Amino acid sequence: MILDGKVVIVTGGARGLGQAIAVAVAEAGARVAVLDVIDTAETLALLKDLGPGQHLGVHGDVTDFEGLRAAVQQVADACGAVHGLINNAGLYKGVHDMPFEEITEEQWDRMMAINVKGVWNVTRAVTPLMREQGYGKIVNVSSTTVLVGAAGMSHYVASKGAVFALTRSLSRELGPAGVRVNTVMPGLTMSQASMDNLGPALGAVEQMVNATTALGRPQQPADLPGTMIYLLSELSDAVTGQAIVVDGGQSHW
Ligand code: NAD
C-alpha cells in the first residue's frame, strides 16, 4: 500500500471531510492520529476495522500551541515518528450569510485564530520532528472560494487565501530540511457542515454545481483524499509549494 509504514496526523478528523480523509489515509496503509478539539470516537470506530490498535485519537485545539506540542509528542511516543500532517481543521460550519460589514471583530479574529494561526501552530509543533527525520509531508486544506470569491463569508475566504500563501512560504523554508508543503483547494463538498450551511438553498446550489463543473455532479467527501494521499506519498516528493484544485472541474487556476 502506498502509505505503508507512514504515520499521519489528520487535524479536524472527528467528522466531515477530516473523517473521510482519516479513513482513506488508513486504507492506504498509514497509521493515523486523529487530532480534534471534539470527541474522535466516531472516527476511531471506523478506523478500528482497518487495523485494531493501529490508530489513535489525540485531543488538541489548533489555537493552543503548548497543547499541540504535547499532542504531537503523544503521537511520536506511540508511533515513533510523524511523516505526514493534514491541516484540515477549520472554522467552516455555520459560516454563511455574513455580509462583511456585519462580521464582528471577535468573529473575524476567531476565524483567523483557527484557520490561519491554527495551521501555523500545528505545523510548528510537528516540524521539529520532521526536521530531525529529514523528511515530512504537510498538506494544508484551503478552498476554491479563494479563486472565485464567495459572498457572505469574506473572513473565511481571507483565511483560506492566507493558508495558500503560508503554504508557499513554508515550502521555501522547509524544503532544505526535506519537508514538502502543499495545499489542496477543495470546491464545495457535501459534508454535513456544507449541507447545514446551505440549508434550504441546497437543491439550487446542487443544480448550479451540476451545470458549472466539468463532471456535472456535486462533490462528495470521498472525492478529496486521493489527491492528499498522493501528496503524502513518495510519488510527489518533487512537488512542494503547490495548490491543487479538487472541485470536479469548476474553477481554473
Ligand atoms: P467541519 O466543520 O465538519 O469540520 C471541521 C473540523 O475541524 C471539525 O472536526 C472540528 O471539530 C475541527 N475543528 C474546528 N475548530 C478546531 C480547533 N480549534 N482545534 C481542532 N479542531 C478544530 O467542516 P468540513 O466540511 O469537514 O471541512 C473541513 C475542512 O475543509 C475545513 O478546513 C474547511 O474550511 C475545508 N473546506 C471545506 C469545504 C466543503 O465544501 N466542505 C470546501 C473547501 C474547504
PDB file of all heavy atoms in Angstrom, residues 11-18 35-38 60-63 87-93 114-115 141-144 156 160 186-191 193-194, ligand 1:
ATOM      1  N   THR A  11      -5.755  16.691  11.294  1.00  0.00           N
ATOM      2  CA  THR A  11      -6.444  17.587  12.230  1.00  0.00           C
ATOM      3  C   THR A  11      -7.900  17.753  11.790  1.00  0.00           C
ATOM      4  O   THR A  11      -8.214  17.668  10.600  1.00  0.00           O
ATOM      5  CB  THR A  11      -5.766  18.968  12.332  1.00  0.00           C
ATOM      6  OG1 THR A  11      -5.997  19.717  11.134  1.00  0.00           O
ATOM      7  CG2 THR A  11      -4.275  18.845  12.588  1.00  0.00           C
ATOM      8  N   GLY A  12      -8.764  17.971  12.764  1.00  0.00           N
ATOM      9  CA  GLY A  12     -10.192  18.091  12.444  1.00  0.00           C
ATOM     10  C   GLY A  12     -10.738  16.791  11.878  1.00  0.00           C
ATOM     11  O   GLY A  12     -11.658  16.800  11.058  1.00  0.00           O
ATOM     12  N   GLY A  13     -10.195  15.672  12.353  1.00  0.00           N
ATOM     13  CA  GLY A  13     -10.572  14.367  11.793  1.00  0.00           C
ATOM     14  C   GLY A  13     -11.767  13.721  12.462  1.00  0.00           C
ATOM     15  O   GLY A  13     -12.125  12.589  12.140  1.00  0.00           O
ATOM     16  N   ALA A  14     -12.404  14.419  13.388  1.00  0.00           N
ATOM     17  CA  ALA A  14     -13.509  13.802  14.129  1.00  0.00           C
ATOM     18  C   ALA A  14     -14.787  13.684  13.303  1.00  0.00           C
ATOM     19  O   ALA A  14     -15.652  12.855  13.605  1.00  0.00           O
ATOM     20  CB  ALA A  14     -13.789  14.601  15.399  1.00  0.00           C
ATOM     21  N   ARG A  15     -14.912  14.507  12.261  1.00  0.00           N
ATOM     22  CA  ARG A  15     -16.146  14.463  11.461  1.00  0.00           C
ATOM     23  C   ARG A  15     -15.845  15.016  10.061  1.00  0.00           C
ATOM     24  O   ARG A  15     -14.728  15.484   9.775  1.00  0.00           O
ATOM     25  CB  ARG A  15     -17.259  15.290  12.131  1.00  0.00           C
ATOM     26  CG  ARG A  15     -16.954  16.777  12.151  1.00  0.00           C
ATOM     27  CD  ARG A  15     -18.113  17.609  12.694  1.00  0.00           C
ATOM     28  NE  ARG A  15     -17.832  19.011  12.485  1.00  0.00           N
ATOM     29  CZ  ARG A  15     -17.977  19.979  13.386  1.00  0.00           C
ATOM     30  NH1 ARG A  15     -18.412  19.675  14.590  1.00  0.00           N
ATOM     31  NH2 ARG A  15     -17.703  21.233  13.094  1.00  0.00           N
ATOM     32  N   GLY A  16     -16.862  14.983   9.220  1.00  0.00           N
ATOM     33  CA  GLY A  16     -16.813  15.661   7.928  1.00  0.00           C
ATOM     34  C   GLY A  16     -15.670  15.207   7.033  1.00  0.00           C
ATOM     35  O   GLY A  16     -15.321  14.024   6.966  1.00  0.00           O
ATOM     36  N   LEU A  17     -15.068  16.169   6.349  1.00  0.00           N
ATOM     37  CA  LEU A  17     -14.008  15.851   5.396  1.00  0.00           C
ATOM     38  C   LEU A  17     -12.830  15.196   6.103  1.00  0.00           C
ATOM     39  O   LEU A  17     -12.215  14.266   5.577  1.00  0.00           O
ATOM     40  CB  LEU A  17     -13.536  17.118   4.677  1.00  0.00           C
ATOM     41  CG  LEU A  17     -14.602  17.931   3.927  1.00  0.00           C
ATOM     42  CD1 LEU A  17     -13.945  19.038   3.107  1.00  0.00           C
ATOM     43  CD2 LEU A  17     -15.437  17.038   3.036  1.00  0.00           C
ATOM     44  N   GLY A  18     -12.506  15.683   7.300  1.00  0.00           N
ATOM     45  CA  GLY A  18     -11.368  15.129   8.039  1.00  0.00           C
ATOM     46  C   GLY A  18     -11.573  13.653   8.343  1.00  0.00           C
ATOM     47  O   GLY A  18     -10.621  12.861   8.306  1.00  0.00           O
ATOM     48  N   LEU A  35      -6.555  14.199  15.297  1.00  0.00           N
ATOM     49  CA  LEU A  35      -6.450  15.280  16.283  1.00  0.00           C
ATOM     50  C   LEU A  35      -7.654  16.195  16.141  1.00  0.00           C
ATOM     51  O   LEU A  35      -7.955  16.660  15.040  1.00  0.00           O
ATOM     52  CB  LEU A  35      -5.152  16.061  16.055  1.00  0.00           C
ATOM     53  CG  LEU A  35      -4.816  17.157  17.069  1.00  0.00           C
ATOM     54  CD1 LEU A  35      -3.306  17.292  17.230  1.00  0.00           C
ATOM     55  CD2 LEU A  35      -5.419  18.507  16.726  1.00  0.00           C
ATOM     56  N   ASP A  36      -8.341  16.415  17.232  1.00  0.00           N
ATOM     57  CA  ASP A  36      -9.516  17.303  17.164  1.00  0.00           C
ATOM     58  C   ASP A  36      -9.807  17.862  18.544  1.00  0.00           C
ATOM     59  O   ASP A  36      -9.385  17.298  19.562  1.00  0.00           O
ATOM     60  CB  ASP A  36     -10.747  16.535  16.635  1.00  0.00           C
ATOM     61  CG  ASP A  36     -11.701  17.446  15.862  1.00  0.00           C
ATOM     62  OD1 ASP A  36     -12.150  18.459  16.445  1.00  0.00           O
ATOM     63  OD2 ASP A  36     -12.002  17.153  14.702  1.00  0.00           O
ATOM     64  N   VAL A  37     -10.560  18.952  18.553  1.00  0.00           N
ATOM     65  CA  VAL A  37     -10.981  19.567  19.807  1.00  0.00           C
ATOM     66  C   VAL A  37     -12.265  18.892  20.309  1.00  0.00           C
ATOM     67  O   VAL A  37     -12.628  19.052  21.473  1.00  0.00           O
ATOM     68  CB  VAL A  37     -11.155  21.088  19.586  1.00  0.00           C
ATOM     69  CG1 VAL A  37     -12.390  21.409  18.757  1.00  0.00           C
ATOM     70  CG2 VAL A  37     -11.124  21.880  20.865  1.00  0.00           C
ATOM     71  N   ILE A  38     -12.933  18.138  19.425  1.00  0.00           N
ATOM     72  CA  ILE A  38     -14.120  17.390  19.833  1.00  0.00           C
ATOM     73  C   ILE A  38     -13.787  15.894  19.885  1.00  0.00           C
ATOM     74  O   ILE A  38     -12.713  15.483  19.438  1.00  0.00           O
ATOM     75  CB  ILE A  38     -15.337  17.648  18.894  1.00  0.00           C
ATOM     76  CG1 ILE A  38     -15.018  17.221  17.449  1.00  0.00           C
ATOM     77  CG2 ILE A  38     -15.766  19.102  18.969  1.00  0.00           C
ATOM     78  CD1 ILE A  38     -16.235  17.216  16.527  1.00  0.00           C
ATOM     79  N   GLY A  60      -6.718  17.978  20.800  1.00  0.00           N
ATOM     80  CA  GLY A  60      -5.888  19.149  20.514  1.00  0.00           C
ATOM     81  C   GLY A  60      -6.728  20.279  19.964  1.00  0.00           C
ATOM     82  O   GLY A  60      -7.630  20.058  19.161  1.00  0.00           O
ATOM     83  N   ASP A  61      -6.434  21.473  20.446  1.00  0.00           N
ATOM     84  CA  ASP A  61      -7.080  22.681  19.936  1.00  0.00           C
ATOM     85  C   ASP A  61      -6.021  23.413  19.115  1.00  0.00           C
ATOM     86  O   ASP A  61      -4.950  23.748  19.652  1.00  0.00           O
ATOM     87  CB  ASP A  61      -7.549  23.530  21.129  1.00  0.00           C
ATOM     88  CG  ASP A  61      -8.285  24.793  20.685  1.00  0.00           C
ATOM     89  OD1 ASP A  61      -8.018  25.300  19.574  1.00  0.00           O
ATOM     90  OD2 ASP A  61      -9.121  25.275  21.465  1.00  0.00           O
ATOM     91  N   VAL A  62      -6.316  23.671  17.852  1.00  0.00           N
ATOM     92  CA  VAL A  62      -5.268  24.246  16.990  1.00  0.00           C
ATOM     93  C   VAL A  62      -4.877  25.668  17.390  1.00  0.00           C
ATOM     94  O   VAL A  62      -3.892  26.195  16.875  1.00  0.00           O
ATOM     95  CB  VAL A  62      -5.654  24.184  15.488  1.00  0.00           C
ATOM     96  CG1 VAL A  62      -5.841  22.743  15.037  1.00  0.00           C
ATOM     97  CG2 VAL A  62      -6.875  25.032  15.172  1.00  0.00           C
ATOM     98  N   THR A  63      -5.635  26.266  18.305  1.00  0.00           N
ATOM     99  CA  THR A  63      -5.267  27.605  18.773  1.00  0.00           C
ATOM    100  C   THR A  63      -4.334  27.555  19.988  1.00  0.00           C
ATOM    101  O   THR A  63      -3.885  28.592  20.469  1.00  0.00           O
ATOM    102  CB  THR A  63      -6.518  28.446  19.138  1.00  0.00           C
ATOM    103  OG1 THR A  63      -7.164  27.839  20.263  1.00  0.00           O
ATOM    104  CG2 THR A  63      -7.488  28.547  17.974  1.00  0.00           C
ATOM    105  N   ASN A  87      -3.422  19.417   7.551  1.00  0.00           N
ATOM    106  CA  ASN A  87      -4.005  20.543   8.293  1.00  0.00           C
ATOM    107  C   ASN A  87      -5.412  20.814   7.747  1.00  0.00           C
ATOM    108  O   ASN A  87      -5.613  21.683   6.904  1.00  0.00           O
ATOM    109  CB  ASN A  87      -3.121  21.784   8.118  1.00  0.00           C
ATOM    110  CG  ASN A  87      -2.031  21.866   9.172  1.00  0.00           C
ATOM    111  OD1 ASN A  87      -2.278  21.651  10.371  1.00  0.00           O
ATOM    112  ND2 ASN A  87      -0.820  22.182   8.752  1.00  0.00           N
ATOM    113  N   ASN A  88      -6.367  20.034   8.259  1.00  0.00           N
ATOM    114  CA  ASN A  88      -7.745  20.107   7.766  1.00  0.00           C
ATOM    115  C   ASN A  88      -8.662  20.868   8.721  1.00  0.00           C
ATOM    116  O   ASN A  88      -9.687  21.412   8.291  1.00  0.00           O
ATOM    117  CB  ASN A  88      -8.270  18.671   7.558  1.00  0.00           C
ATOM    118  CG  ASN A  88      -9.779  18.601   7.487  1.00  0.00           C
ATOM    119  OD1 ASN A  88     -10.381  18.876   6.457  1.00  0.00           O
ATOM    120  ND2 ASN A  88     -10.426  18.254   8.603  1.00  0.00           N
ATOM    121  N   ALA A  89      -8.318  20.921  10.019  1.00  0.00           N
ATOM    122  CA  ALA A  89      -9.207  21.564  10.997  1.00  0.00           C
ATOM    123  C   ALA A  89      -9.496  22.992  10.560  1.00  0.00           C
ATOM    124  O   ALA A  89      -8.600  23.709  10.114  1.00  0.00           O
ATOM    125  CB  ALA A  89      -8.560  21.560  12.379  1.00  0.00           C
ATOM    126  N   GLY A  90     -10.738  23.387  10.686  1.00  0.00           N
ATOM    127  CA  GLY A  90     -11.060  24.751  10.288  1.00  0.00           C
ATOM    128  C   GLY A  90     -12.424  25.167  10.787  1.00  0.00           C
ATOM    129  O   GLY A  90     -13.269  24.335  11.135  1.00  0.00           O
ATOM    130  N   LEU A  91     -12.606  26.460  10.823  1.00  0.00           N
ATOM    131  CA  LEU A  91     -13.910  27.017  11.160  1.00  0.00           C
ATOM    132  C   LEU A  91     -14.659  27.234   9.854  1.00  0.00           C
ATOM    133  O   LEU A  91     -14.309  28.114   9.060  1.00  0.00           O
ATOM    134  CB  LEU A  91     -13.727  28.336  11.920  1.00  0.00           C
ATOM    135  CG  LEU A  91     -15.000  29.054  12.368  1.00  0.00           C
ATOM    136  CD1 LEU A  91     -15.910  28.139  13.187  1.00  0.00           C
ATOM    137  CD2 LEU A  91     -14.636  30.289  13.184  1.00  0.00           C
ATOM    138  N   TYR A  92     -15.663  26.388   9.616  1.00  0.00           N
ATOM    139  CA  TYR A  92     -16.424  26.430   8.360  1.00  0.00           C
ATOM    140  C   TYR A  92     -17.924  26.267   8.654  1.00  0.00           C
ATOM    141  O   TYR A  92     -18.750  26.988   8.099  1.00  0.00           O
ATOM    142  CB  TYR A  92     -15.912  25.317   7.433  1.00  0.00           C
ATOM    143  CG  TYR A  92     -16.783  25.084   6.219  1.00  0.00           C
ATOM    144  CD1 TYR A  92     -16.915  26.064   5.233  1.00  0.00           C
ATOM    145  CD2 TYR A  92     -17.457  23.867   6.040  1.00  0.00           C
ATOM    146  CE1 TYR A  92     -17.723  25.843   4.115  1.00  0.00           C
ATOM    147  CE2 TYR A  92     -18.252  23.644   4.929  1.00  0.00           C
ATOM    148  CZ  TYR A  92     -18.388  24.627   3.967  1.00  0.00           C
ATOM    149  OH  TYR A  92     -19.180  24.414   2.870  1.00  0.00           O
ATOM    150  N   LYS A  93     -18.223  25.318   9.549  1.00  0.00           N
ATOM    151  CA  LYS A  93     -19.621  25.081   9.897  1.00  0.00           C
ATOM    152  C   LYS A  93     -20.236  26.354  10.474  1.00  0.00           C
ATOM    153  O   LYS A  93     -19.655  26.998  11.360  1.00  0.00           O
ATOM    154  CB  LYS A  93     -19.691  23.946  10.930  1.00  0.00           C
ATOM    155  CG  LYS A  93     -21.080  23.442  11.221  1.00  0.00           C
ATOM    156  CD  LYS A  93     -20.971  22.265  12.196  1.00  0.00           C
ATOM    157  CE  LYS A  93     -22.298  21.936  12.835  1.00  0.00           C
ATOM    158  NZ  LYS A  93     -23.291  21.415  11.910  1.00  0.00           N
ATOM    159  N   ILE A 114      -8.277  30.233  14.229  1.00  0.00           N
ATOM    160  CA  ILE A 114      -8.413  28.793  13.944  1.00  0.00           C
ATOM    161  C   ILE A 114      -7.834  28.463  12.564  1.00  0.00           C
ATOM    162  O   ILE A 114      -7.008  27.555  12.424  1.00  0.00           O
ATOM    163  CB  ILE A 114      -9.897  28.362  14.039  1.00  0.00           C
ATOM    164  CG1 ILE A 114     -10.390  28.517  15.476  1.00  0.00           C
ATOM    165  CG2 ILE A 114     -10.069  26.919  13.558  1.00  0.00           C
ATOM    166  CD1 ILE A 114     -11.870  28.243  15.690  1.00  0.00           C
ATOM    167  N   ASN A 115      -8.240  29.204  11.541  1.00  0.00           N
ATOM    168  CA  ASN A 115      -7.911  28.797  10.162  1.00  0.00           C
ATOM    169  C   ASN A 115      -6.492  29.171   9.724  1.00  0.00           C
ATOM    170  O   ASN A 115      -5.942  28.504   8.858  1.00  0.00           O
ATOM    171  CB  ASN A 115      -8.919  29.395   9.178  1.00  0.00           C
ATOM    172  CG  ASN A 115     -10.269  28.709   9.255  1.00  0.00           C
ATOM    173  OD1 ASN A 115     -10.518  27.943  10.186  1.00  0.00           O
ATOM    174  ND2 ASN A 115     -11.137  28.973   8.303  1.00  0.00           N
ATOM    175  N   VAL A 141      -5.320  22.444   3.952  1.00  0.00           N
ATOM    176  CA  VAL A 141      -6.616  22.497   3.260  1.00  0.00           C
ATOM    177  C   VAL A 141      -7.054  23.953   3.111  1.00  0.00           C
ATOM    178  O   VAL A 141      -7.356  24.632   4.095  1.00  0.00           O
ATOM    179  CB  VAL A 141      -7.679  21.666   4.012  1.00  0.00           C
ATOM    180  CG1 VAL A 141      -9.028  21.766   3.292  1.00  0.00           C
ATOM    181  CG2 VAL A 141      -7.240  20.209   4.123  1.00  0.00           C
ATOM    182  N   SER A 142      -7.048  24.420   1.880  1.00  0.00           N
ATOM    183  CA  SER A 142      -7.530  25.767   1.561  1.00  0.00           C
ATOM    184  C   SER A 142      -8.946  25.631   0.997  1.00  0.00           C
ATOM    185  O   SER A 142      -9.734  24.820   1.499  1.00  0.00           O
ATOM    186  CB  SER A 142      -6.549  26.424   0.579  1.00  0.00           C
ATOM    187  OG  SER A 142      -6.994  27.680   0.181  1.00  0.00           O
ATOM    188  N   SER A 143      -9.270  26.357  -0.060  1.00  0.00           N
ATOM    189  CA  SER A 143     -10.637  26.312  -0.604  1.00  0.00           C
ATOM    190  C   SER A 143     -10.671  27.034  -1.944  1.00  0.00           C
ATOM    191  O   SER A 143      -9.957  28.038  -2.134  1.00  0.00           O
ATOM    192  CB  SER A 143     -11.584  27.000   0.379  1.00  0.00           C
ATOM    193  OG  SER A 143     -12.817  27.299  -0.242  1.00  0.00           O
ATOM    194  N   THR A 144     -11.518  26.579  -2.859  1.00  0.00           N
ATOM    195  CA  THR A 144     -11.648  27.298  -4.143  1.00  0.00           C
ATOM    196  C   THR A 144     -12.392  28.618  -3.978  1.00  0.00           C
ATOM    197  O   THR A 144     -12.431  29.407  -4.924  1.00  0.00           O
ATOM    198  CB  THR A 144     -12.387  26.458  -5.205  1.00  0.00           C
ATOM    199  OG1 THR A 144     -13.649  26.067  -4.668  1.00  0.00           O
ATOM    200  CG2 THR A 144     -11.576  25.256  -5.642  1.00  0.00           C
ATOM    201  N   TYR A 156     -13.724  34.046   6.087  1.00  0.00           N
ATOM    202  CA  TYR A 156     -13.346  32.662   5.770  1.00  0.00           C
ATOM    203  C   TYR A 156     -12.472  32.629   4.513  1.00  0.00           C
ATOM    204  O   TYR A 156     -11.411  31.986   4.483  1.00  0.00           O
ATOM    205  CB  TYR A 156     -14.615  31.834   5.563  1.00  0.00           C
ATOM    206  CG  TYR A 156     -14.358  30.415   5.085  1.00  0.00           C
ATOM    207  CD1 TYR A 156     -14.027  29.405   5.983  1.00  0.00           C
ATOM    208  CD2 TYR A 156     -14.447  30.086   3.734  1.00  0.00           C
ATOM    209  CE1 TYR A 156     -13.783  28.108   5.546  1.00  0.00           C
ATOM    210  CE2 TYR A 156     -14.203  28.792   3.290  1.00  0.00           C
ATOM    211  CZ  TYR A 156     -13.879  27.813   4.199  1.00  0.00           C
ATOM    212  OH  TYR A 156     -13.628  26.523   3.761  1.00  0.00           O
ATOM    213  N   LYS A 160      -8.564  31.386   4.088  1.00  0.00           N
ATOM    214  CA  LYS A 160      -8.115  30.294   3.213  1.00  0.00           C
ATOM    215  C   LYS A 160      -7.085  30.794   2.195  1.00  0.00           C
ATOM    216  O   LYS A 160      -6.251  30.029   1.722  1.00  0.00           O
ATOM    217  CB  LYS A 160      -9.322  29.640   2.532  1.00  0.00           C
ATOM    218  CG  LYS A 160     -10.213  28.860   3.500  1.00  0.00           C
ATOM    219  CD  LYS A 160      -9.447  27.714   4.168  1.00  0.00           C
ATOM    220  CE  LYS A 160     -10.317  26.859   5.058  1.00  0.00           C
ATOM    221  NZ  LYS A 160      -9.581  25.728   5.666  1.00  0.00           N
ATOM    222  N   PRO A 186     -10.241  22.405  -2.068  1.00  0.00           N
ATOM    223  CA  PRO A 186     -11.476  21.707  -2.439  1.00  0.00           C
ATOM    224  C   PRO A 186     -12.537  22.718  -2.878  1.00  0.00           C
ATOM    225  O   PRO A 186     -12.637  23.820  -2.335  1.00  0.00           O
ATOM    226  CB  PRO A 186     -11.922  21.027  -1.137  1.00  0.00           C
ATOM    227  CG  PRO A 186     -10.805  21.195  -0.165  1.00  0.00           C
ATOM    228  CD  PRO A 186     -10.043  22.403  -0.605  1.00  0.00           C
ATOM    229  N   GLY A 187     -13.317  22.307  -3.857  1.00  0.00           N
ATOM    230  CA  GLY A 187     -14.543  23.039  -4.152  1.00  0.00           C
ATOM    231  C   GLY A 187     -15.604  22.624  -3.152  1.00  0.00           C
ATOM    232  O   GLY A 187     -15.348  21.816  -2.245  1.00  0.00           O
ATOM    233  N   LEU A 188     -16.806  23.167  -3.329  1.00  0.00           N
ATOM    234  CA  LEU A 188     -17.904  22.822  -2.420  1.00  0.00           C
ATOM    235  C   LEU A 188     -18.055  21.302  -2.361  1.00  0.00           C
ATOM    236  O   LEU A 188     -18.211  20.646  -3.380  1.00  0.00           O
ATOM    237  CB  LEU A 188     -19.202  23.449  -2.927  1.00  0.00           C
ATOM    238  CG  LEU A 188     -20.441  23.120  -2.093  1.00  0.00           C
ATOM    239  CD1 LEU A 188     -20.340  23.704  -0.694  1.00  0.00           C
ATOM    240  CD2 LEU A 188     -21.700  23.608  -2.791  1.00  0.00           C
ATOM    241  N   THR A 189     -17.989  20.774  -1.153  1.00  0.00           N
ATOM    242  CA  THR A 189     -18.043  19.323  -0.949  1.00  0.00           C
ATOM    243  C   THR A 189     -19.148  19.026   0.061  1.00  0.00           C
ATOM    244  O   THR A 189     -19.270  19.717   1.076  1.00  0.00           O
ATOM    245  CB  THR A 189     -16.675  18.826  -0.423  1.00  0.00           C
ATOM    246  OG1 THR A 189     -15.648  19.314  -1.295  1.00  0.00           O
ATOM    247  CG2 THR A 189     -16.621  17.314  -0.392  1.00  0.00           C
ATOM    248  N   MET A 190     -19.924  18.014  -0.215  1.00  0.00           N
ATOM    249  CA  MET A 190     -21.142  17.781   0.563  1.00  0.00           C
ATOM    250  C   MET A 190     -20.871  17.106   1.912  1.00  0.00           C
ATOM    251  O   MET A 190     -21.344  16.002   2.189  1.00  0.00           O
ATOM    252  CB  MET A 190     -22.139  16.974  -0.269  1.00  0.00           C
ATOM    253  CG  MET A 190     -22.687  17.764  -1.440  1.00  0.00           C
ATOM    254  SD  MET A 190     -23.467  19.307  -0.875  1.00  0.00           S
ATOM    255  CE  MET A 190     -23.369  20.298  -2.372  1.00  0.00           C
ATOM    256  N   SER A 191     -20.115  17.781   2.756  1.00  0.00           N
ATOM    257  CA  SER A 191     -20.011  17.357   4.156  1.00  0.00           C
ATOM    258  C   SER A 191     -21.290  17.806   4.856  1.00  0.00           C
ATOM    259  O   SER A 191     -22.042  18.633   4.327  1.00  0.00           O
ATOM    260  CB  SER A 191     -18.782  18.012   4.813  1.00  0.00           C
ATOM    261  OG  SER A 191     -18.948  19.425   4.855  1.00  0.00           O
ATOM    262  N   ALA A 193     -21.409  19.767   7.281  1.00  0.00           N
ATOM    263  CA  ALA A 193     -21.275  21.216   7.523  1.00  0.00           C
ATOM    264  C   ALA A 193     -21.757  21.999   6.305  1.00  0.00           C
ATOM    265  O   ALA A 193     -22.458  23.014   6.433  1.00  0.00           O
ATOM    266  CB  ALA A 193     -19.825  21.558   7.850  1.00  0.00           C
ATOM    267  N   SER A 194     -21.384  21.541   5.095  1.00  0.00           N
ATOM    268  CA  SER A 194     -21.834  22.234   3.876  1.00  0.00           C
ATOM    269  C   SER A 194     -23.349  22.183   3.770  1.00  0.00           C
ATOM    270  O   SER A 194     -23.997  23.192   3.445  1.00  0.00           O
ATOM    271  CB  SER A 194     -21.252  21.564   2.623  1.00  0.00           C
ATOM    272  OG  SER A 194     -19.897  21.839   2.506  1.00  0.00           O
TER     273      SER A 194
HETATM  274  P1  NAD B   1     -16.497  20.591   9.654  1.00  0.00           P
HETATM  275  O1  NAD B   1     -16.882  21.814  10.383  1.00  0.00           O
HETATM  276  O2  NAD B   1     -17.428  19.429   9.680  1.00  0.00           O
HETATM  277  O3  NAD B   1     -15.076  20.070  10.146  1.00  0.00           O
HETATM  278  C1  NAD B   1     -14.140  20.887  10.778  1.00  0.00           C
HETATM  279  C2  NAD B   1     -13.372  20.056  11.785  1.00  0.00           C
HETATM  280  O4  NAD B   1     -12.384  20.894  12.388  1.00  0.00           O
HETATM  281  C3  NAD B   1     -14.265  19.524  12.925  1.00  0.00           C
HETATM  282  O5  NAD B   1     -13.951  18.204  13.229  1.00  0.00           O
HETATM  283  C4  NAD B   1     -13.948  20.462  14.068  1.00  0.00           C
HETATM  284  O6  NAD B   1     -14.159  19.906  15.359  1.00  0.00           O
HETATM  285  C5  NAD B   1     -12.467  20.742  13.802  1.00  0.00           C
HETATM  286  N1  NAD B   1     -12.034  21.962  14.485  1.00  0.00           N
HETATM  287  C6  NAD B   1     -12.641  23.181  14.478  1.00  0.00           C
HETATM  288  N2  NAD B   1     -12.002  24.024  15.292  1.00  0.00           N
HETATM  289  C7  NAD B   1     -10.941  23.343  15.810  1.00  0.00           C
HETATM  290  C8  NAD B   1      -9.909  23.677  16.712  1.00  0.00           C
HETATM  291  N3  NAD B   1      -9.828  24.886  17.283  1.00  0.00           N
HETATM  292  N4  NAD B   1      -8.991  22.735  17.020  1.00  0.00           N
HETATM  293  C9  NAD B   1      -9.061  21.491  16.494  1.00  0.00           C
HETATM  294  N5  NAD B   1     -10.033  21.102  15.630  1.00  0.00           N
HETATM  295  C10 NAD B   1     -10.960  22.027  15.303  1.00  0.00           C
HETATM  296  O7  NAD B   1     -16.218  21.053   8.130  1.00  0.00           O
HETATM  297  P2  NAD B   1     -15.806  20.212   6.826  1.00  0.00           P
HETATM  298  O8  NAD B   1     -16.795  20.486   5.760  1.00  0.00           O
HETATM  299  O9  NAD B   1     -15.482  18.810   7.185  1.00  0.00           O
HETATM  300  O10 NAD B   1     -14.469  20.999   6.407  1.00  0.00           O
HETATM  301  C11 NAD B   1     -13.190  20.520   6.768  1.00  0.00           C
HETATM  302  C12 NAD B   1     -12.131  21.475   6.232  1.00  0.00           C
HETATM  303  O11 NAD B   1     -12.263  21.603   4.811  1.00  0.00           O
HETATM  304  C13 NAD B   1     -12.238  22.898   6.787  1.00  0.00           C
HETATM  305  O12 NAD B   1     -10.939  23.453   6.925  1.00  0.00           O
HETATM  306  C14 NAD B   1     -12.986  23.633   5.685  1.00  0.00           C
HETATM  307  O13 NAD B   1     -12.738  25.017   5.704  1.00  0.00           O
HETATM  308  C15 NAD B   1     -12.389  22.971   4.456  1.00  0.00           C
HETATM  309  N6  NAD B   1     -13.194  23.060   3.238  1.00  0.00           N
HETATM  310  C16 NAD B   1     -14.443  22.532   3.218  1.00  0.00           C
HETATM  311  C17 NAD B   1     -15.188  22.579   2.047  1.00  0.00           C
HETATM  312  C18 NAD B   1     -16.565  21.983   1.973  1.00  0.00           C
HETATM  313  O14 NAD B   1     -17.270  22.259   0.987  1.00  0.00           O
HETATM  314  N7  NAD B   1     -16.984  21.184   2.944  1.00  0.00           N
HETATM  315  C19 NAD B   1     -14.652  23.172   0.908  1.00  0.00           C
HETATM  316  C20 NAD B   1     -13.370  23.727   0.970  1.00  0.00           C
HETATM  317  C21 NAD B   1     -12.646  23.643   2.138  1.00  0.00           C
END
